[in-house]
Amino acid sequence: MYKTVVAHQVRKAFAALSAGNTAAVTKGLAEDAVYEFVGDHALGGRRHGRALIETWFARVDRLMGGGRFEVRDVLVKGWPWRTRVISVVDIAAEVAGEPYRNRMLQILDIRWGRIVAIYSLEDTQLLAGALHRLAEAGVAEAAAAPIVG
């Protein structure tokens, strides 16, 4: 039953992201959470702490806002004191007037209902190309240094 509830919460969180509600995700973060998003671009890097992760989510919303997340699969292992969740998610957005499609693998580590670590991996070449198009269209933040720390 616990694993079913966790999988349902993960699906709800991605639905909230699709609706532009990043707070639905960030409210579940532990204060000392770590988020690593693979890639050498404006969204890449590793950030520590809820506040910095919230700053990163705000950047994602500014750059890729309006994206839709379709959860293909959610796997849950463990119990409330140590839970690991692996999600496979399709992403669709319009970036600089062109369609953007990618697939993301995300790993969450949860302790007693709080997200303590997130690791996200999507096709970094596709994402870097989309950010490059945004930068060429005049969105300077798309070429900014990653939010890390």
Side-chain angles (χ1 to χ4, degrees), residues 101-117:
R101 305 283 181 271
N102 212 331
R103 180 165 288 162
M104 175 175 64
L105 172 70
Q106 186 172 79
I107 302 169
L108 299 176
D109 287 328
I110 302 171
R111 304 286 183 271
W112 297 112
R114 303 307 267 171
I115 300 167
V116 297

Side-chain angles (χ1 to χ4, degrees), residues 14-136:
F14 278 110
L17 282 176
S18 292
N21 181 3
T22 59
V25 174
T26 59
K27 74 178 182 182
L29 293 168
E31 286 300 320
D32 60 347
V34 176
Y35 190 165
E36 183 174 357
F37 192 98
V38 175
D40 184 19
H41 46 68
L43 298 178
R46 183 180 177 98
R47 56 220 48 89
H48 301 263
R50 181 179 178 159
L52 203 53
I53 295 169
E54 288 172 338
T55 300
W56 180 85
F57 268 103
R59 176 179 277 183
V60 171
D61 192 47
R62 288 190 299 274
L63 295 177
M64 308 292 281
R68 292 169 311 284
F69 300 86
E70 181 185 336
V71 178
R72 298 183 62 83
D73 202 2
V74 179
L75 305 170
V76 180
K77 180 181 178 184
W79 297 102
W81 53 90
R82 186 173 181 187
T83 308
R84 174 152 287 172
V85 180
I86 300 173
S87 303
V88 179
V89 181
D90 285 341
I91 303 165
E94 186 172 304
V95 177
E98 294 184 32
Y100 173 76
R101 305 283 181 271
N102 212 331
R103 180 165 288 162
M104 175 175 64
L105 172 70
Q106 186 172 79
I107 302 169
L108 299 176
D109 287 328
I110 302 171
R111 304 286 183 271
W112 297 112
R114 303 307 267 171
I115 300 167
V116 297
I118 306 172
Y119 178 85
S120 297
L121 172 65
E122 55 183 90
D123 185 326
T124 57
Q125 284 186 294
L126 282 176
L127 180 55
L131 293 170
H132 180 74
R133 286 193 308 277
L134 272 174
E136 284 184 335

